Amino acid sequence: MKAIFLIGYMGSGKSTLGKALARRCDVEFIDLDDYIEARAGKKIREIFADEGEAAFRDLERRMLVEVSGKDNVLVACGGGTPCFGDNMELMNSCGTTVLLQTSHGRLLERLKRGRHKRPLIANLSDEELDVFIIEQLAKRMPHYGKSAEVFDSTLLEDENQIEEKCEAFISRFGLPVKGSIEEKV
Ligand code: S3P
């Protein structure tokens, strides 16, 4: 299997869907944020605070180049990964980019809960977050729009919904399922 890159805005479900797919599928799963944190030896918010966003984007690019060279890999990118340099072109040349698309209301709800670990939104009030999502998403859409595929990720709120989305993703993109060869024998 060629690499699959899950892209999309913060809170679109890249890590949630990616982890669920990794449990079901015979693929290597890499969460790019976790990969960066492991390599840097510190949290994303510490990298932003100590070295600034430009240094983070540099590191993100270098780690993306590293993981893009792999086969049979599923990569959950950071929300900003596609929007810097020629990262989209790199991913499109190595594999399939899949944009996870979620309604504004759902993004807002998820990010209200998960903003503390995301330096770009950690200090915003609910109202500011609402406006920030609209404005930043508009700026990012030209990059996200270069994705090869689009997959709806609005319903990922509980285990059943995650499982349903996971199955839909597997059958649409033909991911190898764990143990499927033995079962057929
Ligand atoms: C970012 C998204 C984050 C993380 C960093 C910057 C962004 O990843 O890479 O905080 O610019 O949108 P998630 O999309 O997994 O939150």
Side-chain angles (χ1 to χ4, degrees), residues 1 4 17 20-27 74 151 162-178 180:
M1 186 191 89
I4 293 182
L17 185 63
L21 287 167
R23 285 194 293 272
R24 279 278 282 133
C25 301
D26 200 6
V27 294
L74 174 70
F151 186 81
I162 293 171
E163 203 172 309
E164 271 177 38
K165 281 288 168 196
C166 197
E167 292 311 312
F169 194 98
I170 290 169
S171 61
R172 177 158 160 204
F173 297 105
L175 267 67
V177 173
K178 274 182 188 156
S180 58

Side-chain angles (χ1 to χ4, degrees), residues 73-93:
V73 68
L74 174 70
V75 183
C77 295
T81 313
C83 311
F84 291 84
D86 63 349
N87 287 352
M88 267 317 277
E89 287 70 19
L90 170 68
M91 291 188 277
N92 278 328
S93 69

